Amino acid sequence: MPYEVTRTTLPGMTHFPPPAEELRLLDAELRQLDARRAQLLTRRAWLVFALQRTQQPPPVALSPATPPRPETAAPSVQNVLLVLGGVLLTLAAAVFTLVSWGHMGIAGRALVLGAVTLAALAGPALLLKRGLRSTAESVAGLGLALTVLDAYALHEAALTGTDGTGYAAAASAVLAVTWSAYGLLPATAALRLPLPSALAAAQFPLLLWALAADAGPYVITAALLVTAGLDVVAALRVTAGSVRITAVVGAYGMGGWGVLAAGWLSLTADGPGDAARAGGLLLLAAGIALGAAWRGPGTRHPLGLAIASGLLTVVAFGGVARSGLPSEWAVPAYLVCGIALLAAVRAGRLPDAIRRGFAWASGVVQALALLWTLPVVTVALLGPAGWVGRVWSGAPSDARTAVTVEAPWPADSAAAPAVLVAVAAVLALAVRTERWCARARLGALGLLWATALLLPAVLGIPYVAGMSVLGVMTAAALYVRRTTVPAARLTALVLALVTSVSLALTALASQTATLVVLSVLVALLAAASWRASAAPVTAPAALVYAAALASATGAAADWPPAGTALLVLAVPAAAALLAARLGEHPATVPVEIVGAATGLLAVGLAVTDPPLLALVLALCGVIAAGTALRPGRRPVGYAATALFVLASWVRLAAWDVGTPEAYTLPVTVPALLVGALRRRRDPQASSWTAYGPGLAATLLPSLVAAWADPHWTRPLLLGTAALLVTLLGARHHLQAPLVLGGSVLALVTLHELAPYVVQVTGALPRWAPPALAGLLLLALGATYEQRIRDVRRVREVLGRMN
């Protein structure tokens, strides 16, 4: 074949499948390869298992005499035996000393106890040389216990006349020194028990000596703190782990008791002298904690110890200052000391952990001081709520009386504003870190607001002046709302709303004050609503106060509640107009919600007067209908229709109208008009949706009334109306009028002919009804096929109707 022919014909002869078909073929081949590989791997695993079974020797059965595996290690058994032996020997020695001591002479007693004690103390040295350390520790524990028994025996035998507490103090000191010396000897230095035991015995000499000398509480507390200080020194200087742990436990235990005792002495001090001595003890404890924090390793313990040191310092100086001040200035005295502690935070020579600890201690003091002011702030803020049950009962004499309607004024609260101002100053000036600066300033703003809230009641200024202060606070908070910081705007807005509520509640005591305050609040909040960012909150709040102002105005004019409802309706009308002007603004929905709520308030006020209630419902329907004209608010039209219907029903009920058609026709006529408009716009709409609700609203209640009506007028009119509806349905091929009208017409006819049917039935013999029934069944059976055809034809005709 020529070359040119080959080059031109081969590309047309070669078949390349489409990409999708080629991908399917590749996937099928890969699945076959995976299946084959899985078969080969399974066969290989079986072959490996078979080879292993043939190469392994047969298992050897275990002999029944094979000893079981031990459950406890030998060292554990050894330690248990040694400890148990030491305890038993100690108990035996104690029984011998306490019970059998009197049966031997003085020489025998001394010889026995001395020999046993020396042997017990000398035994560990020999055991250590042989490498029996655990046994040596047990024997050493026995020897230490015997020295305690020796001390007891010495008191009972030769020193019975001495004071028991004093002797215990001396004995504990001697034992501490003896055990320390014994633990430091070269032959017994490897023992771990003597030195921690000596440190434990050293906890008691100073305390027991103070008790033996009948010292006062200050000396006893000093003994506890000095012992804790010695424990701190031991914990910082000793390297042995067991000794350090014992020292730490002793420091926290003795120091904790000493701090509690010193704090109690400071709080119950009768004068500056006692407070100064208690303060000296607290400063001693603070110095010990500070020294431990300065020299102690790690990060957690120094921070906690620094916090404790700062708090103890504050309690010490605050207690001294408190002793010379009136009781209401006690908390400010401690607060000043806590704030002064921040000066140490600024010192650059202190370690960071101590500076942070002092800062935390100052913060704790300030938090406790704020907690002390909380009852006063609560009474000043929530106290005016008591006027809700005493509206317009008379203006109080001063601002304090205005807030103590139901709750008493807390005692010793004159210094609360000073505490709030001091903490606010610290937050505003002392906090400079970028992370906490903004939050601190917001906190300072809140504290200054609380101060201004408290001052009228604390100073007892006149009632009107106190309300003026609250009004200025509200206006100032709304003005601060103009700042650009989001958190500050939110804080100021919340404070403004809370202050306005407190002001409105306070004004309830006087009629004039109520009207003036509510008018001012409406004006302030309406003015603040011009700013778009504040409108979602201030605009609804202004409407709420406007509704309250309308109610108060009606009550001041001695109008009945139903008459006041007409005045309240001005608020939902204004809300609807405002919402229409706002459009898609975020404040639109809150304004509409408040408008709907005030509309319900107006309806509730008018319930007692049916004619006015009908008018109020109609006006609410007008407002709702106007709202439904706005895009996106079309469903409100249903509410407007319901309000109009309710208004007509209430009006009819007020006229003592009992005819159901008077209630149903006002619903049917608008419903049919709406249905006709809908069918005109959408010819494909179902007649059941367009005309069914309207027709059923009148036909069904009238049918029920006609069946219970003994006269002929209502059934005649209802039957005529049903006939007209049926004819209209047949004329226009509408299913709903045809079915509803025909059904009602048939039922009305049955109701009217029922007496005659009963009369005819009574005149017939008893066999006539069964005979008639049989004839009817025969006729139905004979014409069954024809009737089925007729039913199908009727169904097809109805199906072609809408």
Side-chain angles (χ1 to χ4, degrees):
M1 182 180 295
Y3 174 75
E4 294 295 330
V5 176
T6 305
R7 185 177 62 179
T8 56
T9 57
L10 283 179
M13 296 174 61
T14 304
H15 174 67
F16 292 95
E21 181 64 19
E22 185 175 2
L23 180 61
R24 186 186 66 80
L25 294 175
L26 291 177
D27 289 338
E29 291 291 336
L30 289 175
R31 284 194 296 270
Q32 293 178 2
L33 291 175
D34 290 338
R36 181 58 179 167
R37 184 173 183 275
Q39 294 176 0
L40 295 176
L41 288 176
T42 303
R43 181 62 180 173
R44 180 182 180 280
W46 185 86
L47 293 174
V48 171
F49 176 75
L51 290 175
Q52 289 177 351
R53 290 189 60 184
T54 57
Q55 294 176 1
Q56 289 179 356
V60 180
L62 295 177
S63 173
T66 302
R69 182 178 61 87
E71 297 181 355
T72 306
S76 300
V77 176
Q78 166 193 304
N79 293 333
V80 170
L81 294 177
L82 291 176
V83 171
L84 183 59
V87 170
L88 291 178
L89 289 175
T90 302
L91 292 176
V95 171
F96 171 77
T97 303
L98 297 175
V99 179
S100 302
W101 184 257
H103 299 288
M104 301 179 64
I106 185 63
R109 303 171 189 173
L111 181 62
V112 172
L113 267 181
V116 174
T117 303
L118 291 176
L121 293 176
L126 300 176
L127 294 172
L128 288 174
K129 290 181 179 180
R130 296 179 175 271
L132 303 176
R133 179 167 184 160
S134 299
T135 306
E137 293 285 354
S138 299
V139 176
L142 175 61
L144 298 179
L146 288 175
T147 55
V148 178
L149 295 177
D150 288 339
Y152 171 77
L154 179 61
H155 179 269
E156 294 296 324
L159 302 174
T160 54
T162 59
D163 179 59
T165 307
Y167 178 81
S172 59
V174 172
L175 289 175
V177 174
T178 303
W179 292 350
S180 299
Y182 179 72
L184 295 175
L185 291 176
T188 56
L191 296 175
R192 299 179 180 178
L193 189 59
L195 292 180
S197 300
L199 188 58
Q203 306 298 313
F204 303 103
L206 291 178
L207 177 61
L208 293 176
W209 273 331
L211 294 175
D214 292 332
Y218 294 94
V219 177
I220 296 175
T221 304
L224 291 172
L225 294 176
V226 170
T227 304
L230 295 175
D231 289 331
V232 170
V233 173
L236 294 176
R237 297 182 65 88
V238 177
T239 58
S242 58
V243 179
R244 178 176 293 176
I245 292 174
T246 305
V248 170
V249 172
Y252 278 110
M254 303 300 285
W257 283 108
V259 166
L260 291 176
W264 177 257
L265 292 175
S266 177
L267 292 175
T268 58
D270 296 331
D274 294 339
R277 286 189 290 175
L281 294 174
L282 289 170
L283 289 178
L284 174 61
I288 294 171
L290 181 60
W294 201 309
R295 299 293 300 273
T299 56
R300 296 182 180 179
H301 288 288
L303 180 60
L305 292 172
I307 295 174
S309 177
L311 292 176
L312 292 173
T313 304
V314 171
V315 175
F317 287 103
V320 175
R322 178 193 59 82
S323 62
L325 295 174
S327 59
E328 61 266 19
W329 291 98
V331 173
Y334 286 105
L335 178 61
V336 170
C337 296
I339 295 174
L341 192 63
L342 292 175
V345 178
R346 301 297 179 186
R349 298 181 179 180
L350 295 177
D352 291 339
I354 295 178
R355 294 171 59 189
R356 290 198 306 270
F358 284 174
W360 277 101
S362 178
V364 170
V365 174
Q366 296 176 55
L368 293 175
L370 292 179
L371 188 63
W372 174 74
T373 64
L374 185 60
V376 190
V377 176
T378 303
V379 171
L381 183 62
L382 302 179
W387 291 109
V388 175
R390 305 180 183 184
V391 177
W392 297 353
S393 59
S397 58
D398 53 27
R400 181 176 297 184
T401 308
V403 300
T404 55
V405 184
E406 301 291 343
W409 184 252
D412 298 336
S413 58
V419 171
L420 294 173
V421 171
V423 178
V426 171
L427 291 176
L429 301 176
V431 180
R432 299 180 181 177
T433 58
E434 183 178 357
R435 178 182 179 185
W436 295 99
C437 184
R439 301 177 185 178
R441 291 180 180 177
L442 290 178
L445 176 64
L447 292 177
L448 291 177
W449 170 81
T451 304
L453 184 69
L454 284 181
L455 279 177
V458 171
L459 299 178
I461 63 177
Y463 171 67
V464 177
M467 289 194 300
S468 300
V469 171
L470 293 177
V472 172
M473 289 174 59
T474 304
L478 291 175
Y479 181 79
V480 174
R481 177 68 177 72
R482 299 166 62 91
T483 182
T484 58
V485 181
R489 290 203 304 266
L490 178 60
T491 303
L493 184 59
V494 172
L495 295 181
L497 293 178
V498 173
T499 309
S500 67
V501 172
S502 181
L503 175 59
L505 293 175
T506 305
L508 292 177
S510 171
Q511 175 179 320
T512 304
T514 301
L515 297 176
V516 173
V517 166
L518 290 177
S519 301
V520 172
L521 290 177
V522 171
L524 282 176
L525 293 171
S529 300
W530 285 103
R531 296 186 64 86
S533 59
V537 178
T538 55
L543 291 175
V544 170
Y545 286 125
L549 177 61
S551 302
T553 303
D558 292 331
W559 290 358
T564 305
L566 296 175
L567 191 59
V568 174
L569 276 179
V571 177
L577 295 176
L578 180 60
R581 183 178 180 83
L582 290 174
E584 299 298 330
H585 194 275
T588 302
V589 174
V591 166
E592 290 176 338
I593 292 175
V594 173
T598 52
L600 291 177
L601 174 63
V603 172
L605 291 174
V607 166
T608 57
D609 191 341
L612 276 177
L613 177 59
L615 179 58
V616 169
L617 289 170
L619 294 176
C620 289
V622 172
I623 297 172
T627 303
L629 297 176
R630 293 165 43 206
R633 296 294 186 271
R634 303 300 184 192
V636 183
Y638 297 105
T641 303
L643 289 171
F644 285 131
V645 171
L646 287 175
S648 64
W649 287 357
V650 172
R651 183 72 264 182
L652 292 172
W655 286 336
D656 295 329
V657 174
T659 304
E661 289 78 10
Y663 296 89
T664 57
L665 286 176
V667 179
T668 296
V669 173
L672 292 178
L673 292 176
V674 173
L677 291 176
R678 181 173 182 180
R679 286 274 299 176
R680 185 174 183 180
R681 292 180 180 180
D682 183 13
Q684 300 300 324
S686 173
S687 61
W688 287 103
T689 304
Y691 303 116
L695 293 174
T698 294
L699 293 178
L700 297 182
S702 298
L703 178 63
V704 174
W707 273 62
D709 193 348
H711 304 288
W712 59 273
T713 307
R714 185 188 301 276
L716 178 61
L717 295 176
L718 178 60
T720 303
L723 178 61
L724 292 176
V725 170
T726 304
L727 294 176
L728 289 174
R731 171 67 179 79
H732 296 283
H733 300 279
L734 298 176
Q735 193 177 79
L738 181 62
V739 174
L740 288 175
S743 301
V744 172
L745 179 61
L747 292 174
V748 170
T749 304
L750 177 63
H751 174 265
E752 293 301 314
L753 297 178
Y756 302 101
V757 173
V758 172
Q759 183 178 1
V760 171
T761 304
L764 293 176
R766 293 187 177 181
W767 54 266
L772 293 176
L775 291 174
L776 179 62
L777 291 176
L778 289 175
L780 289 175
T783 59
Y784 182 78
E785 185 177 0
Q786 183 63 34
R787 299 304 180 187
I788 291 297
R789 188 181 300 110
D790 294 341
V791 170
R792 289 177 179 175
R793 186 178 296 112
V794 172
R795 185 177 63 184
E796 292 175 357
V797 172
L798 291 176
R800 287 194 295 270
M801 298 181 182
N802 280 326

